[in-house]
Amino acid sequence: MIGKIVAAALTSAALLTTATGLSTAAPLGVTPLPRPTGQFQVGTTTLHLLDAGRPDPFRPDRARELMVSVFYPATATELFPRAHYVSTVLVPELQRQLGIELPGLLTNSYADAPAEPESRFPVVLYTPGAGVSRLLGTGLAEDLASRGYIVVTVDHTYEGPAVEFPGGRTATAAPMPEGFVPAVRKKFIAARLLDIGFVLDSLTKLAGGDNPDAEKRWLPVGLAEALDLNRIGIVGHSSGGYAAVEAIHDDPRIGAAVDLDGQIGVDEEFGRAAVEGVDRPVLVLTSRQIEEVGDANPSLDAFFAHGIGWKRQLTLGNSAHYDFTDMPSLVPDAVRPAAKTYFGPIAAPRAAALTDTYVAALFDKFLRDDPNTPLDHPGADPEITTLR
């Protein structure tokens, strides 16, 4: 259902934007995402990562493999093409699955542009919600990259609707004959945590001069040298938020985490981070919707009771679960009622701006030692309420 609404949103966004003359993108597509707010232009590339020693839990006959996108501060972007939001190779497979035609959508990033030279940038991983593509974190990733971060968005293979690998091969979601039951959710989280550690290992290889891409494809100039792996953060939405907080609990390489609207556990079975606590900074940003439903409260209560590191929970007024993703930016006003379960009445640009601002604030504060972030000035944004 989410996939069909996103697909319909993409189509409507393209048609309405083109018809009203609002797009400033190249003629081959439109750019529905807000412009990044930082000082840097943004480059992007993809990596195919193969964990040869780990059988895939959903396809034990195959080694675990991942596709990730890397967004980074870039230079000379005028010489490189704008990157597509959805791969032109993947579009036919998504159209087949969703039964709807997808338009050509562009991002604000430039494919394979050189990294900003003579600088090293903190690294942030992004892990999406359950059953959702990494694509819905593109706007946040671009904004963080424009502020001087290298952001790696991760698709967790066989969980999302479709993951494209080099050569056009796609992996679709694993069958769930019993539905999205707790046992399946726990299996996904266990795989995600191993994925996160493997991505960090792969970035370490890249920074050390090795190319971790399975096909050894050419990588953007200067990308390896720009990675500062002494400063690592992680942000995730929904189940990705749970995975992000579990990852900072488990992996000492991660210095700060943001949980966007995710409970820290699977129903009544809380994660280790909630039961044992975390000793590093964690920001929890919840929607008004999840506060009203209340199902995240027990695990969050446990997390705040046991954590010994800096921690804070903020809530975004007039919001729903997918307001922390690109989804509202992709949906024109004319079709918003069809997706009202997924996002609230807050305006899409405002939801994106506040999400970008407070995610960046957490990483600025603790990865860059900035003492003057929005987190240090509560009350500056009326839509943001500090819960604890």
Side-chain angles (χ1 to χ4, degrees):
M1 181 62 178
I2 292 173
K4 288 186 179 294
I5 288 179
V6 172
L10 297 177
T11 303
S12 299
L15 293 175
L16 291 183
T17 306
T18 303
T20 55
L22 296 176
S23 175
T24 58
L28 293 178
V30 296
T31 305
L33 300 178
R35 291 186 180 278
T37 59
Q39 62 177 315
F40 296 105
Q41 293 294 307
V42 179
T44 188
T45 194
T46 60
L47 293 172
H48 174 205
L49 304 178
L50 180 65
D51 193 351
R54 177 166 55 123
D56 193 289
F58 307 100
R59 286 285 305 273
D61 59 315
R62 304 181 65 97
R64 182 69 167 171
E65 56 183 337
L66 305 172
M67 286 302 297
V68 305
S69 295
V70 185
F71 298 85
Y72 52 92
T75 189
T77 55
E78 68 277 5
L79 302 177
F80 292 81
R82 194 81 67 88
H84 286 264
Y85 191 89
V86 179
S87 162
T88 55
V89 175
L90 185 58
V91 164
E93 173 63 23
L94 288 175
Q95 289 181 153
R96 183 189 66 77
Q97 288 189 57
L98 302 172
I100 191 168
E101 184 177 353
L102 296 174
L105 296 180
L106 301 177
T107 69
N108 294 295
S109 303
Y110 295 85
D112 297 318
E116 183 72 22
E118 300 180 6
S119 297
R120 298 177 73 233
F121 302 100
V123 174
V124 174
L125 270 59
Y126 175 87
T127 174
V132 173
S133 169
R134 73 186 193 272
L135 298 180
L136 286 184
T138 298
L140 174 60
E142 289 185 328
D143 192 76
L144 284 171
S146 78
R147 297 172 187 247
Y149 291 90
I150 295 177
V151 185
V152 182
T153 64
V154 183
D155 257 337
H156 300 284
T157 313
Y158 301 116
E159 185 177 345
V163 179
E164 178 202 347
F165 293 98
R169 176 172 57 91
T170 59
T172 56
M176 292 182 284
E178 298 180 2
F180 197 50
V181 296
V184 171
R185 293 157 63 192
K186 287 187 280 188
K187 187 175 181 179
F188 281 143
I189 291 295
R192 283 172 176 251
L193 293 175
L194 293 175
D195 292 347
I196 290 166
F198 173 59
V199 170
L200 290 179
D201 293 342
S202 300
L203 294 175
T204 300
K205 290 181 180 179
L206 177 58
D210 292 337
N211 183 347
D213 186 80
E215 287 75 31
K216 304 299 180 185
R217 292 175 298 167
W218 179 87
L219 298 177
V221 173
L223 180 60
E225 294 78 10
L227 294 163
D228 183 353
L229 293 174
N230 291 315
R231 296 182 290 171
I232 297 174
I234 187 168
V235 54
H237 172 248
S238 192
S239 287
Y242 172 24
V245 180
E246 286 290 273
I248 196 174
H249 171 277
D250 294 349
D251 196 324
R253 294 175 291 183
I254 301 174
V258 180
D259 172 5
L260 298 173
D261 225 28
Q263 64 184 54
I264 306 176
V266 175
D267 296 338
E268 291 79 21
E269 188 171 332
F270 299 164
R272 293 184 299 275
V275 174
E276 300 171 7
V278 172
D279 62 357
R280 276 152 287 155
V282 174
L283 173 65
V284 178
L285 185 56
T286 51
S287 66
R288 190 66 222 158
Q289 182 184 54
I290 203 172
E291 290 301 319
E292 291 172 353
V293 173
D295 58 355
N297 289 342
S299 64
L300 293 177
D301 290 344
F303 171 76
F304 276 85
H306 296 124
I308 60 173
W310 184 99
K311 52 193 180 296
R312 185 169 298 173
Q313 183 180 359
L314 309 177
T315 190
L316 176 61
N318 291 323
S319 64
H321 193 53
Y322 282 89
D323 280 311
F324 300 111
T325 73
D326 292 347
M327 193 180 195
S329 296
L330 301 172
V331 178
D333 290 343
V335 296
R336 285 181 69 93
K340 63 182 179 182
T341 301
Y342 300 103
F343 47 80
I346 187 171
R350 185 60 174 161
L354 289 168
T355 300
D356 295 346
T357 294
Y358 283 88
V359 172
L362 187 281
F363 296 133
D364 286 348
K365 183 174 180 65
F366 293 104
L367 299 184
R368 287 190 162 132
D369 298 321
D370 183 350
N372 191 31
T373 74
L375 293 171
D376 301 291
H377 302 282
D381 295 298
E383 301 95 334
I384 297 290
T385 302
T386 301
L387 299 183
R388 47 186 155 186

